[in-house]
């Protein structure tokens, strides 16, 4: 695919970080439509940006023929978002502790930690056909 | 994200505006920071007052600049850290790494 597509509350995007701002605009507009508070929108936007970056760079390895799907769902007073890639998957247990002294000054490796800190729940399903991360946040 | 940059009393002041989320925006901040470092500048203040939020990519750029400057007897300091970014610095324990000031003037004065 060469351009992002929006279908309802779902956005499908090529693995190109040029589209990060488009994803953020779609995300924030949809969350406002759900009635989510602005302070919570920022936490969700930070989390989704982390997961989309991971999906594009580490999952799809920026392959032009692979896409990332962002799907939003409102469930009563909470929002559930899934971010899926088409990569080869990874072992979530292999993520190092970014707070460990030897990792504190590393430039990378904090994304999932930050998402876990900001969201109410984070579920990672990694398979050889792709990784799907589901986050949820009450508002 | 947009980025303004200037020098005051020999101190580089970078003023990003918007969201630092990765991709081309983050490259802009990284490249401008290293442009000054490559020129031999050793004192840098990053004013965060107009940054809506940043993610780990933004934190990584700040750490990279801080480390590179420190290894060259320089330093990177922060000014006007917003509550949102302060929260991120706290949960990642980076609050113990960066010197942060309530204004650009205070940050600049701290170098004297």
């Amino acid at each position: 695919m060469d351009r992002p597509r929006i279908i309802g509350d779902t956005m499908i995007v090529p693995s190109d970080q040029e589209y990060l701002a488009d994803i953020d605009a779609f995300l924030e507009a949809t969350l406002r439509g759900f009635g989510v508070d602005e302070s919570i929108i920022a936490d969700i936007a930070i989390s989704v940006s982390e997961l989309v970056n991971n999906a594009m760079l580490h999952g799809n390895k920026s392959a032009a023929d692979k896409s990332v799907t962002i799907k939003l769902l409102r469930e009563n007073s909470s929002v559930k978002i899934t971010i899926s890639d088409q990569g080869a998957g990874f072992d979530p247990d292999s993520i190092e502790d970014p707070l460990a002294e030897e990792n504190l000054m590393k430039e990378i490796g904090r994304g999932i930690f930050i998402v876990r800190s900001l969201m109410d729940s984070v579920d990672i399903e990694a398979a050889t056909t792709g990784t799907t991360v589901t986050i949820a946040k009450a508002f | 994200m947009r980025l303004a940059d200037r020098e005051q009393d020999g101190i580089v002041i970078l003023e990003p505006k918007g969201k630092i989320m990765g991709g081309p925006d983050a490259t802009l901040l990284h490249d401008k920071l290293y442009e000054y470092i490559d020129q031999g500048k050793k004192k840098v203040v990053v004013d965060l007052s107009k940054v809506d939020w940043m993610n780990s990519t933004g934190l990584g750029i700040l750490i990279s600049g801080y480390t590179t400057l420190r290894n060259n007897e320089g330093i990177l300091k922060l000014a006007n850290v917003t509550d949102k970014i302060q929260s991120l610095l706290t949960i990642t324990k980076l609050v113990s790494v960066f010197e942060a000031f309530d204004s650009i003037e205070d940050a600049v004065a701290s170098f004297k």
Side-chain angles (χ1 to χ4, degrees):
Chain A
M1 76 183 299
D2 55 2
R3 297 185 63 182
R5 280 188 294 145
I6 294 175
I7 306 164
D9 294 334
T10 299
M11 187 174 194
I12 306 169
V13 189
S15 294
D16 188 335
Q17 288 182 297
E18 290 277 352
Y19 295 118
L20 289 176
D22 295 326
I23 295 168
D24 183 63
F26 160 76
L27 175 76
E28 296 199 15
T30 305
L31 293 174
R32 286 191 185 97
F34 287 172
V36 180
D37 292 342
E38 288 298 319
S39 64
I40 293 177
I41 286 177
D43 286 345
I44 296 173
I46 292 169
S47 300
V48 170
S49 74
E50 298 285 7
L51 297 171
V52 169
N53 278 332
N54 282 350
M56 289 182 173
L57 300 176
H58 305 305
N60 292 346
K61 301 194 182 304
S62 302
D65 62 336
K66 291 182 177 175
S67 60
V68 174
T69 300
I70 303 107
K71 185 176 182 180
L72 286 77
L73 180 66
R74 178 181 174 174
E75 292 183 335
N76 299 318
S77 59
S78 72
V79 60
K80 181 184 283 187
I81 303 172
T82 60
I83 295 95
S84 306
D85 65 45
Q86 298 174 312
F90 75 107
D91 178 8
D93 294 332
S94 67
I95 300 171
E96 294 186 39
D97 176 9
L99 302 185
E101 191 175 342
E102 66 272 20
N103 295 329
L104 194 61
M105 294 304 289
K106 287 185 177 174
E107 294 168 29
I108 59 173
R110 293 178 182 78
I112 294 291
F113 174 82
I114 288 173
V115 176
R116 289 192 192 282
S117 300
L118 297 178
M119 296 293 99
D120 295 335
S121 68
V122 180
D123 179 56
I124 301 173
E125 290 183 50
T128 54
T129 52
T131 298
T132 295
V133 182
T134 302
I135 57 176
K137 181 80 172 176
F139 64 90
Chain B
M1 188 201 80
R2 284 178 287 173
L3 178 64
D5 62 291
R6 59 191 169 94
E7 286 188 66
Q8 180 178 327
D9 301 332
I11 297 163
V12 175
I13 299 168
L14 299 178
E15 299 171 305
K17 182 179 181 182
K19 301 163 183 171
I20 306 174
M21 60 179 81
D25 287 352
T27 302
L28 180 67
L29 176 59
H30 176 276
D31 289 355
K32 181 57 72 177
L33 177 57
Y34 275 83
E35 188 180 306
Y36 279 111
I37 292 174
D38 290 344
Q39 289 173 15
K41 305 295 181 186
K42 295 181 185 297
K43 300 172 182 175
V44 176
V45 175
V46 181
D47 175 16
L48 297 173
S49 62
K50 294 174 183 168
V51 176
D52 299 320
W53 52 258
M54 68 168 63
N55 61 15
S56 65
T57 303
L59 294 177
I61 293 169
L62 295 179
I63 292 168
S64 173
Y66 175 92
T67 304
T68 302
L69 283 163
R70 188 188 59 187
N71 291 342
N72 290 280
E73 299 175 339
I75 192 160
L76 180 150
K77 301 185 180 187
L78 305 179
N80 299 311
V81 179
T82 62
D83 290 346
K84 188 61 69 181
I85 296 173
Q86 181 69 28
S87 173
L88 276 188
L89 291 173
T90 300
I91 63 175
T92 56
K93 289 190 176 179
L94 292 172
V95 71
S96 63
V97 172
F98 294 103
E99 269 189 89
F101 297 86
D102 291 339
S103 69
I104 293 175
E105 290 71 27
D106 287 351
V108 168
S110 74
F111 284 105
K112 295 173 182 170

